[in-house]
Amino acid sequence: MTDQANEPKTAAASAGLRGVVAGTSTVSDVNGEKGELVYQGYNIHDLAKQSTFEEVVFLLWHKRLPRRSELDELKQGLSRYYDLPREIIELMKQLPRGSDLIDVLRTVVSALELYDPSARDISREASLRTAIRLTAQFPTIVAASDRLRRGLEPIKPDTRLNIATNFLYMLKGEIPPEHDARVFDVALILHADHELNASTFTARVVAGTLADMYGAVTAAIAALSGPLHGGANTNVMKTLLEIGELANVEQFIKRALSEKRKIMGFGHAVYKTEDPRATHLRKFSQEMGERAGDTKWYDMSRQVEALMMRQKSLYPNVDFFSASMYYMMGIPLELYTPIFAVSRISGWTAHILEQYADNKLIRPRAEYLGAHNTPYVPIDQR
Ligand code: COA
């Protein structure tokens, strides 16, 4: 008798699991038709206008907005862990200078587990502590990796500052203008979570084996690093730099499309209309350009956007305008994907907490396309 529960549910597997509902969650919801993104019930547009990254972190982990005292407590808890163990900084100094910074982050997160005596404790209480440590330490790791790459000493975090301000401070060694810090804070809000994207799904698969949070997050960073996921934002800026001038945009895009090349920062597996995060990032890209007195990258981005709509009916995604926005903030492009992780750690940890709370090993089936009953031929007869 066949075991029906173990039989694959679909005859034709959906390529890339598009449209397959692979689990339940309250963390966030993406409505691809309407272009809506919701975190624990709150529309991303309201959060972008009124909230802060720390408040969103609380919301993702606790499923509700914090009271003032709870937010203060979380901020204190986070700032207590901003600094890295001395051994971790020493380890970072040993890594090859030219390493990709997202790979440095992945390596360091894996190593951090060895310095956390309660890493293996996956109770909600201990996991929340790990989530606080990781969310607090990501900006420090990323800023330190950039400083070391440039042959500079890492800057100690300033525990009086929020995550966004402290990150920009650790990059450059000076307190950023209030406007830049707020724009960066909103960028962190916008990248915080996005349902079962590739890296979050990866995190949940690893957590589903009851491996610890560091392991799940390390795997998530690896998934994020790919050019089809979080690696796209760096490639967007590389493309803009390669195009060089507004006058070159049309010819460049037309040629790239005729060669069937993908233009990074366009298209989305779920959104069939404007990505609501791009709405804010487009505005910030313009604002940052205007403040710096140089809207060249914004203007080029707008033209790429218009051409992509005309030629392919594709909308920009979260990675498109964030690239020119960070560039105008003076942030090196090597940092764009790690910055995505500085924000997304909040969503990954929220999903891992959710997975641990009601765990079931994630183990789908594959539609087997290979042969059956192939006779074995000994090696010297092949
Ligand atoms: N540039 C040019 N063409 C694109 C494109 C892009 N950025 N994104 C999709 N397309 C085209 C594909 O070439 C394909 O065309 P075809 O049917 O003529 O072969 C069609 O649109 C479908 O592409 P596919 O990759 O199957 O779409 P998807 O919805 O499964 O994939 C992405 C979504 C995000 C992987 C895809 O749009 C992409 O690779 N974008 C660039 C990378 C990126 O920005 N990633 C960040 C995502 S937030």
Side-chain angles (χ1 to χ4, degrees), residues 139-330:
T140 317
I141 300 166
V142 174
S145 66
D146 180 57
R147 301 277 304 177
L148 291 170
R149 174 180 73 95
R150 293 189 282 137
L152 302 168
E153 267 303 302
I155 291 171
K156 281 234 161 247
D158 184 335
T159 54
R160 295 165 304 175
L161 304 176
N162 68 11
I163 287 182
T165 315
N166 181 48
F167 176 70
L168 296 175
Y169 164 70
M170 288 187 294
L171 279 187
K172 299 190 186 168
E174 51 194 54
I175 304 281
E178 218 171 289
H179 176 270
D180 290 19
R182 175 60 188 158
V183 163
F184 195 77
D185 194 44
V186 179
L188 294 182
I189 293 174
L190 297 172
H191 287 80
D193 197 55
H194 210 237
E195 203 219 49
L196 279 193
N197 58 89
S199 55
T200 303
F201 187 55
T202 304
R204 290 195 76 132
V205 170
V206 176
T209 70
L210 299 184
D212 69 33
M213 193 176 258
Y214 290 91
V217 169
T218 303
I221 298 170
L224 184 77
S225 69
L228 296 187
H229 191 7
N233 52 13
T234 300
N235 289 321
V236 169
M237 202 58 227
K238 283 187 186 157
T239 305
L240 291 174
L241 290 166
E242 194 185 335
I243 297 173
E245 292 297 330
L246 189 60
N248 302 339
V249 170
E250 185 154 355
Q251 197 193 12
F252 182 99
I253 296 295
K254 282 186 172 163
R255 181 176 322 136
L257 291 178
S258 73
E259 290 166 0
K260 298 265 176 232
R261 276 168 59 192
K262 275 192 169 173
I263 307 299
M264 293 294 122
F266 285 87
H268 199 273
V270 184
Y271 292 118
K272 299 302 162 220
T273 178
E274 165 121 335
D275 179 333
R277 303 166 299 177
T279 314
H280 297 270
L281 296 165
R282 182 191 290 108
K283 185 172 77 76
F284 290 147
S285 166
Q286 180 176 15
E287 254 176 54
M288 292 309 304
E290 283 168 355
R291 286 174 74 88
D294 177 10
T295 57
K296 171 181 171 175
W297 306 107
Y298 170 72
D299 296 339
M300 284 171 63
S301 301
R302 286 303 299 234
Q303 197 170 348
V304 175
E305 183 185 20
L307 275 162
M308 287 300 285
M309 183 43 69
R310 216 178 311 140
Q311 304 266 324
K312 297 286 292 183
S313 302
L314 285 174
Y315 292 87
N317 58 47
V318 69
D319 292 316
F320 188 63
F321 284 102
S322 54
S324 49
M325 177 193 117
Y326 294 145
Y327 198 71
M328 292 320 296
M329 291 176 93

Side-chain angles (χ1 to χ4, degrees), residues 341-356:
V342 163
S343 164
R344 188 55 60 85
I345 181 62
S346 58
W348 290 333
T349 46
H351 278 270
I352 296 167
L353 289 167
E354 203 177 41
Q355 187 69 35
Y356 286 152

